[in-house]
C-alpha cells in the first residue's frame, strides 16, 4: 500500500474528529449516569470496510484501539497502518476459522471471539510459534444460549463450546491470557435484558478467574446500556466513522 493510500484528506479528518467527539461524549454521559469513572471504558473503533487511512487518522486523534472482523482485510490493513507510523492496539472481533489463527496472531493484540476449545488450541499453537508474549483473549458468550450462533454456552456441559471448558482452555494455555468476555445482544432482546444477563455471566467467570476483568459489550446503538451493566470496552463503527464506503 502506497503512502497516498494512507494519507488522510483534511475533510475526512474533520468528519472523523466530529464523530469521535460525539461518541466520546456519549461514553462520558453513560459513565456518569452509571456512576463509573470515564477511564473505565475503552472505545474500540470498528474499522472493517473502512480504509487504512481512516485508522491512521483516528490514531492521530487519540484512538488507541481498533477492531476488525475479517483476516483477509485486517492483515494488510494492519501492515499499512504500521508502515504509516501508527501503532493502535488491534482487536480481532469476528468469527475466526482455525486455519486463520497463524495469520491473526501476527498482528492482533486481542482476539475477542474465541468460542470453542478447538479454536483456543489453534490460537495457542499459533501464538507460541510466532509471538514473544501471550495473546489476550476474550471468550465470546452466547447470551441466549443458541447453539446455532457464535458464542460459548454458559452453563452447558458441551466439552467444546461450554463456557467453562472454553475459559479453562484459554486460561491453561501458555500462549494465551484469559482477559475476559465479549458478547453481542441477541436480536429481539432489549439491550438492558441482554447486558444484565451478561453481567451475571461475567461475575461468575471472575469468581473462577479473577484476572478476567474485561467485558466487551455494546455497539453504536446500545453502548449506553452496556456501560450501565459494566462494559469495559465498547465496539463502535458507524456512529464513529459514518456510513461504510461499501454502502455509499
Amino acid at each position: 500500500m502506497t503512502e497516498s493510500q494512507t494519507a488522510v484528506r483534511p475533510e475526512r479528518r474533520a468528519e472523523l474528529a466530529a464523530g469521535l467527539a460525539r461518541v466520546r461524549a456519549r461514553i462520558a454521559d453513560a459513565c456518569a449516569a452509571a456512576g463509573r469513572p470515564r477511564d473505565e471504558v475503552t472505545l474500540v473503533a470498528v474499522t472493517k470496510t473502512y480504509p487504512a487511512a481512516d485508522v491512521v487518522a483516528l490514531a492521530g486523534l487519540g484512538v488507541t484501539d481498533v477492531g476488525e472482523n475479517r483476516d483477509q482485510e485486517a492483515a494488510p490493513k494492519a501492515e499499512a497502518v504500521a508502515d504509516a507510523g501508527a501503532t493502535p492496539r488491534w482487536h480481532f472481533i469476528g468469527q475466526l476459522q482455525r486455519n486463520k489463527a497463524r495469520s491473526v496472531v501476527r498482528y492482533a493484540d486481542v482476539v475477542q471471539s474465541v468460542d470453542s476449545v478447538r479454536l483456543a488450541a489453534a490460537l495457542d499453537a499459533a501464538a507460541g510459534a510466532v509471538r514473544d508474549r501471550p495473546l489476550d483473549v476474550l471468550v465470546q458468550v452466547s447470551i441466549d444460549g443458541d447453539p446455532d450462533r457464535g458464542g460459548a454456552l454458559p452453563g452447558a456441559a458441551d466439552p467444546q463450546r461450554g463456557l467453562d471448558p472454553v475459559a479453562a482452555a484459554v486460561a491453561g494455555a501458555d500462549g494465551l491470557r484469559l482477559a475476559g468476555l465479549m458478547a453481542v445482544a441477541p436480536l429481539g432482546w432489549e439491550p438492558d435484558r441482554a447486558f444484565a444477563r451478561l453481567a451475571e455471566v461475567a461475575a461468575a467467570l471472575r469468581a473462577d478467574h479473577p484476572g478476567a476483568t474485561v467485558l466487551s459489550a455494546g455497539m453504536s446503538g446500545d453502548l449506553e446500556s452496556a456501560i450501565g451493566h459494566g462494559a469495559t470496552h465498547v465496539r463502535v463503527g458507524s456512529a464513529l466513522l459514518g456510513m461504510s464506503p461499501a454502502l455509499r
Side-chain angles (χ1 to χ4, degrees):
M1 189 170 289
T2 66
E3 183 176 346
S4 64
Q5 289 174 297
T6 54
V8 183
R9 295 179 290 109
E11 60 270 28
R12 179 55 175 161
R13 181 182 174 87
E15 291 174 357
L16 293 171
L20 180 58
R22 289 191 295 269
V23 171
R24 282 175 167 165
R26 287 177 62 189
I27 293 172
D29 289 347
C31 287
R36 299 178 60 192
R38 169 61 184 87
D39 61 7
E40 283 187 359
V41 179
T42 298
L43 168 64
V44 180
V46 179
T47 54
K48 62 181 183 181
T49 76
Y50 296 89
D54 281 359
V55 181
V56 174
L58 288 169
L61 291 166
V63 171
T64 57
D65 294 69
V66 297
E68 291 282 333
N69 75 339
R70 293 178 65 251
D71 176 63
Q72 297 94 315
E73 177 184 352
K77 188 183 295 185
E79 183 177 1
V81 169
D83 288 345
T87 57
R89 182 170 167 83
W90 291 91
H91 298 245
F92 190 87
I93 60 177
Q95 292 299 301
L96 178 60
Q97 296 176 322
R98 297 196 301 277
N99 62 2
K100 296 291 187 181
R102 196 173 183 89
S103 175
V104 168
V105 300
R106 293 182 182 276
Y107 60 84
D109 300 287
V110 187
V111 174
Q112 294 202 11
S113 48
V114 174
D115 62 357
S116 74
V117 171
R118 290 188 185 93
L119 179 55
L123 282 171
D124 180 34
V130 304
R131 294 175 62 89
D132 59 4
R133 63 190 185 282
L135 174 72
D136 279 357
V137 164
L138 305 185
V139 176
Q140 183 176 351
V141 175
S142 171
I143 292 175
D144 61 0
D146 185 343
D148 294 329
R149 288 203 293 269
L153 307 171
D158 187 323
Q160 276 298 321
R161 289 194 56 198
L163 175 57
D164 288 344
V166 176
V170 173
D174 291 339
L176 310 177
R177 186 182 79 87
L178 178 61
L181 298 179
M182 181 272 265
V184 179
L187 291 175
W189 281 49
E190 288 295 323
D192 280 342
R193 177 190 175 201
F195 297 134
R197 170 60 179 146
L198 177 62
E200 294 172 354
V201 174
L205 179 77
R206 288 194 299 271
D208 292 330
H209 303 280
T213 57
V214 173
L215 186 59
S216 174
M219 299 186 289
S220 291
D222 56 16
L223 66 85
E224 286 86 359
S225 175
I227 290 170
H229 290 284
T232 63
H233 291 64
V234 292
R235 310 178 304 274
V236 181
S238 59
L240 173 61
L241 291 112
M243 185 178 291
S244 166
L247 300 176
R248 291 175 186 165

